[in-house]
């Protein structure tokens, strides 16, 4: 719909992969001073230098994406309506609530209108704060009101600059994670540079600004950094409490800003469960991390007016089950290898059985159907569900919900990220298996603990966590491309850790029989510097060329439509159409909608399927009846949907509707034998003929090259009786 056009214009054996120190590794001497409790000037200098580099890289990323956004749209020079149209699909819906809060006479009135909203869904009053994760918009609108910035900073710039600033937080979080893992700030620098250079695969913030993931993933990266710090060996109790508090705050912010938080936390809970089973974490650590997740979710549940989707989430059921079974299965970590493996298998089976039992019961009691479309999609994706389900098909046919494309790996290899990542992953995964087998061969006694300290191969719990983190989220990314942003960002600090940390290099040097401190230092400092120099030489000119390329927002048809709606229709007029377009109509004009892109509501999904009959083979009377039932005054038809060519046959919206209605699809190709030929022409095509009965029920009031707007005629009671109730 939106297009862009060019705009003119000393020796000794290394301790091995279990070194447990907490400060930056610049030389061996500062390490010794730090271990004895003295902060040397060298240690302080390393910390200050690393901090400066980390903050600088974060700011550089922020400025970079902000510049790309400006140059891509010429954002500072286009009209306000064009700026708002640039908030595509659901992004426009979320931003509209920020705009609504600012237009309200007072903060209290704005909050009241959100809690009692009757413009987002016609003929319904819903609580937006309960239904959607928009507390960030509420917070920003209040902040904009109370700060003395209104005279020199427009509301829209305050909003987008805040989102871009979160990229600074994101890069700093990745920097800290790699620094903690490797004890070298060079790893942080390398991870930050890799994140920026792989922007295409690590973020899409510059063109989907208000998307929920752009708000939440930076907090998730902070949470991973806090967990990495919490799992560091020999951390003092007071430091553990402080770091746990940081874990809680970052987890809470992550959950508050994204409706899919429960699925991400479920993957993380499975990682913690796996580490617990393989004896990498203490009971205290496991319980503490589980509780941070539960407390965060429950607090969000309260703030979202007791949103039943949170209570019915799989992650809460899983954590409750894991803690309950763990409490009663006290001898889990005792016995020989075979006995322990048998106990773990039984333990896992009990936890999973109880999880699904609790979750099924909770959903029945709460009558929860809000997230059933997600499970339909998952079942259909892996061949366990009906492929004709309209909601599941909408996801299956979108490229973002398909498998991860292979060209992703070509781009990651081009920035020299993929190779050290795979080397680190393969070596550490083998080491993890060896350590896990060794752990399971002990009986959990004090003697076993001493045996662990004397082992040749060890793995720190923070390293084990990050290893499983990248494995689990990597599998998620492979299965669903949209989830790759949870994986590719973490690839950067993990690969940087492999380049700058001792764990991988010590294993390689042992094989070569040259594992000395001098050789270790030489490799750990020279290799990242060489990589950074290569990346600078290869990519700096490209970055300069990229940020110098100027384009301009150009979508005159949508601008014309929005201006016509704003000037020529009543303020309480109800519009029906595609979810994506209606989000823009709400933002640009404030008109009432029949449906919208926030799909986490069963009643809304059913209404959307009904409204989409305007693109199906249905009679004029049936479509008119459906539209009247949802209170529509106008319908907006889009040629790009009616005559869609972007998707292949079977994935076009009209095909999905035909299949859901049991009709044969358009065009050449095979059809399932139980499908029948529709008795009516396609509504979006036939209405343009202006023949009876279309002219009797609809009047065209606006037309351009892209959109056709029709006003519904209100039938007299006699005609209503003839057409049925």
């Amino acid at each position: 719909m939106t297009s862009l056009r060019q705009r003119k214009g000393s020796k000794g054996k290394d301790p091995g992969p279990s070194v447990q120190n907490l400060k930056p590794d610049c030389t061996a001497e500062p390490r010794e001073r730090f271990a004895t409790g003295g902060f040397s000037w060298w240690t302080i200098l390393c910390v200050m230098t690393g901090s400066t580099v980390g903050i600088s890289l974060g700011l550089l990323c922020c400025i970079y994406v902000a510049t790309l956004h400006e140059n891509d749209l010429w954002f500072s020079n286009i009209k306000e309506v064009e700026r708002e149209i640039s908030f595509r699909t659901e992004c426009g819906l979320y931003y509209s609530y920020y705009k609504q809060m600012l237009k309200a006479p007072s903060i209290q009135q704005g909050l009241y209108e959100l809690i009692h909203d009757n413009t987002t869904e016609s003929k319904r009053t819903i609580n937006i704060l309960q239904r959607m994760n928009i507390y960030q918009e509420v917070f920003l609108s209040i902040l904009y009101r109370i700060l003395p910035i209104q005279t020199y900073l427009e509301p829209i710039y305050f909003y987008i600059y805040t989102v871009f600033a979160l990229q600074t937080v994101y890069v700093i979080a990745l920097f800290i994670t790699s620094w903690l893992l490797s004890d070298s700030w060079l790893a942080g620098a390398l991870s930050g540079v890799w994140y920026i250079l792989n922007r295409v695969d690590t973020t899409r913030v510059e063109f989907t600004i208000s998307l929920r993931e752009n708000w939440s993933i930076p907090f998730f990266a902070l949470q991973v950094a806090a967990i990495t710090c919490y799992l560091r060996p020999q951390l003092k109790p007071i430091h553990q409490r402080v770091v746990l508090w940081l874990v809680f705050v970052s987890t809470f912010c992550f959950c508050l800003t994204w409706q899919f938080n429960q699925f991400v936390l479920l993957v993380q809970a499975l990682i913690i469960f796996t580490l617990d089973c393989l004896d990498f974490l203490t009971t205290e650590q496991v319980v503490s991390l589980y509780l941070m997740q539960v407390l965060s979710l429950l607090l969000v549940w309260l703030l979202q007016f007791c949103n039943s989707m949170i209570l019915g989430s799989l992650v809460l059921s899983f954590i409750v089950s894991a803690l309950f079974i763990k409490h009663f299965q006290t001898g889990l970590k005792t016995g020989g290898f075979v006995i322990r493996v048998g106990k773990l298998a039984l333990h896992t089976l009990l936890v999973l059985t109880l999880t699904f039992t609790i979750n099924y019961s909770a959903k029945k009691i709460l009558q929860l159907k809000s997230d059933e479309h997600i499970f339909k999609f998952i079942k259909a994706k892996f061949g366990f569900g009906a492929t004709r389900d309209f909601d599941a098909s909408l996801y299956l046919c979108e490229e973002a919900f398909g498998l991860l494309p292979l060209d992703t790996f070509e781009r990651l290899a081009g920035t020299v990220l993929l190779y050290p990542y795979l080397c680190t992953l393969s070596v550490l995964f083998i080491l993890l298996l060896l350590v896990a087998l060794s752990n399971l061969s002990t009986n959990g006694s004090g003697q076993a603990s001493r045996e662990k300290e004397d082992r040749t191969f060890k793995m720190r719990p923070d390293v084990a966590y990050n290893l499983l983190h990248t494995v689990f989220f990597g599998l998620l990314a492979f299965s669903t491309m949209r989830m790759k942003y949870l994986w590719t960002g973490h690839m950067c600090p993990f690969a940087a850790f492999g380049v700058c940390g001792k764990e991988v290099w010590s294993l390689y040097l042992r094989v070569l029989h040259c594992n000395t401190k001098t050789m270790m230092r030489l490799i750990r400092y020279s290799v990242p510097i060489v990589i950074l120099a290569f990346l600078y030489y290869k990519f700096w000119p490209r970055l300069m060329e990229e940020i110098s390329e100027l384009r301009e927002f150009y979508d005159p048809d949508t601008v014309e439509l929005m201006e016509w709606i704003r000037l020529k229709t009543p303020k309480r007029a109800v519009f029906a159409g595609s979810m994506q377009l209606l989000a823009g109509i709400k933002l640009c004009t404030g008109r009432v909608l029949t449906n919208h892109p926030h799909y986490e509501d069963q009643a809304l999904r059913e209404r959307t399927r009904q409204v989409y009959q305007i693109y199906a083979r249905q009679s004029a009377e049936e479509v008119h009846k459906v539209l009247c039932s949802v209170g529509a005054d106008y319908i907006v038809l889009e040629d790009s949907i009616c005559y869609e060519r972007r998707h292949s046959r079977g994935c076009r919206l009209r095909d999905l509707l035909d299949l859901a209605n049991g009709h044969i699809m358009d065009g050449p190709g095979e059809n399932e034998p139980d499908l029948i030929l529709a008795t009516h022409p396609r509504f979006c095509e036939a209405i343009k003929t202006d023949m009876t009965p279309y002219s009797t029920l609809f009047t065209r009031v606006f037309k351009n090259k892209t959109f056709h707007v029709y006003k519904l005629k209100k039938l007299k009671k006699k005609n209503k009786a003839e057409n049925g109730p």
Side-chain angles (χ1 to χ4, degrees), residues 281-294:
L281 303 181
T282 65
T283 299
E284 181 185 359
Q285 289 173 331
V286 172
V287 173
S288 296
L289 292 176
Y290 278 154
L291 288 179
M292 292 307 101
Q293 289 188 331
V294 171

Side-chain angles (χ1 to χ4, degrees), residues 104-275:
S106 65
I107 295 174
Q108 293 81 359
Q109 182 63 28
L111 290 172
Y112 179 85
E113 291 175 357
L114 289 178
I115 296 172
H116 304 86
D117 181 272
N118 56 11
T119 62
T120 303
E121 296 177 18
S122 57
K123 303 180 75 172
R124 292 176 183 168
T125 299
I126 63 175
N127 186 342
I128 300 297
L129 294 179
Q130 180 188 53
R131 180 80 71 82
M132 305 181 194
N133 297 68
I134 62 158
Y135 270 99
Q136 51 267 53
E137 278 77 21
V138 173
F139 174 75
L140 275 191
S141 64
I142 295 174
L143 202 60
Y144 185 81
R145 282 175 175 266
I146 63 178
L147 292 177
I149 58 176
Q150 291 90 343
T151 56
Y152 59 87
L153 188 64
E154 297 175 57
I156 195 167
Y157 276 104
F158 182 66
Y159 185 92
I160 65 173
Y161 287 166
T162 301
V163 180
F164 292 149
L166 284 175
Q167 290 296 298
T168 302
V169 176
Y170 195 179
V171 172
I172 291 174
L174 299 178
F175 190 99
I176 292 172
T177 300
S178 53
W179 192 354
L180 288 169
L181 288 170
S182 65
D183 291 327
S184 172
W185 62 261
L186 277 173
L190 194 54
S191 66
V193 169
W194 268 330
Y195 177 83
I196 295 171
L197 295 181
N198 290 280
R199 171 187 57 82
V200 172
D201 295 299
T202 55
T203 184
R204 48 180 176 167
V205 66
E206 75 274 12
F207 61 90
T208 58
I209 294 175
S210 54
L211 208 61
R212 302 298 83 178
E213 66 187 48
N214 294 327
W215 287 93
S216 62
I217 293 182
F219 293 113
F220 187 60
L222 274 178
Q223 185 233 38
V224 173
I227 290 177
T228 301
C229 185
Y230 175 69
L231 296 180
R232 294 285 299 191
Q234 301 173 356
L235 198 63
K236 294 180 180 179
I238 188 171
H239 295 158
Q240 288 181 342
R241 288 193 289 269
V242 172
V243 174
L244 265 181
W245 174 253
L246 293 176
V247 171
F248 167 72
V249 172
S250 54
T251 306
F252 166 70
C253 292
F254 166 72
C255 293
L256 190 64
T257 52
W258 198 12
Q259 68 268 29
F260 294 144
N261 57 70
Q262 54 171 300
F263 303 103
V264 178
L265 290 187
L266 176 62
V267 176
Q268 193 175 62
L270 290 171
I271 295 170
I272 297 169
F273 178 79
T274 304
L275 291 173

Side-chain angles (χ1 to χ4, degrees), residues 72-125:
D72 209 33
L73 301 172
W74 204 3
F75 201 74
S76 60
N77 198 59
I78 57 179
K79 296 187 295 184
E80 187 69 14
V81 63
E82 293 176 308
R83 292 176 178 177
E84 292 178 347
I85 292 171
S86 70
F87 287 87
R88 304 171 184 177
T89 63
E90 61 187 293
C91 297
L93 181 67
Y94 299 133
Y95 182 77
S96 71
Y97 299 117
Y98 170 74
K99 180 180 177 181
Q100 181 178 327
M101 279 289 295
L102 289 177
K103 283 188 172 184
S106 65
I107 295 174
Q108 293 81 359
Q109 182 63 28
L111 290 172
Y112 179 85
E113 291 175 357
L114 289 178
I115 296 172
H116 304 86
D117 181 272
N118 56 11
T119 62
T120 303
E121 296 177 18
S122 57
K123 303 180 75 172
R124 292 176 183 168
T125 299

Side-chain angles (χ1 to χ4, degrees), residues 440-572:
L440 294 176
S441 299
T442 60
N443 59 13
S445 63
Q447 178 65 31
S449 299
R450 287 189 293 272
E451 288 176 4
K452 287 184 181 181
E453 296 298 324
D454 297 333
R455 288 176 188 166
T456 303
F457 296 107
K458 307 174 192 175
M459 179 172 282
R460 301 189 331 237
D462 56 329
V463 174
Y465 172 81
N466 279 274
L467 173 60
L468 289 189
H469 183 99
T470 195
V471 169
F472 278 56
F473 283 100
L475 293 174
L476 182 62
F478 271 86
S479 66
T480 307
M481 188 185 75
R482 185 178 179 180
M483 296 294 123
K484 74 175 182 178
Y485 301 104
L486 292 164
W487 175 58
T488 51
H490 187 262
M491 284 180 70
C492 302
F494 189 79
F497 157 63
V499 172
C500 302
K502 285 191 173 185
E503 277 72 8
V504 177
W505 287 120
S506 63
L507 292 173
Y508 288 149
L509 293 177
R510 284 183 181 184
V511 173
L512 298 174
H513 303 288
C514 56
N515 188 22
T516 63
K517 287 184 177 180
T518 303
M519 182 62 71
M520 178 65 73
R521 268 190 219 154
L522 178 63
I523 291 177
R524 290 181 62 214
Y525 298 140
S526 61
V527 172
I529 291 174
V530 168
I531 293 176
L532 286 170
F534 170 77
L535 294 176
Y536 176 82
Y537 174 79
K538 181 178 180 180
F539 290 100
W540 183 255
R542 297 186 187 181
L543 290 180
M544 293 300 99
E545 181 181 356
E546 184 180 21
I547 63 176
S548 64
E549 187 176 350
L550 305 178
R551 293 187 178 93
E552 178 183 358
F553 176 90
Y554 185 72
D555 191 4
D557 290 348
T558 306
V559 171
E560 184 185 11
L561 172 67
M562 298 304 175
E563 293 286 11
W564 179 85
I565 293 174
R566 185 176 62 85
L567 297 173
K568 301 295 185 179
T569 63
K571 291 185 177 181
R572 295 295 301 177

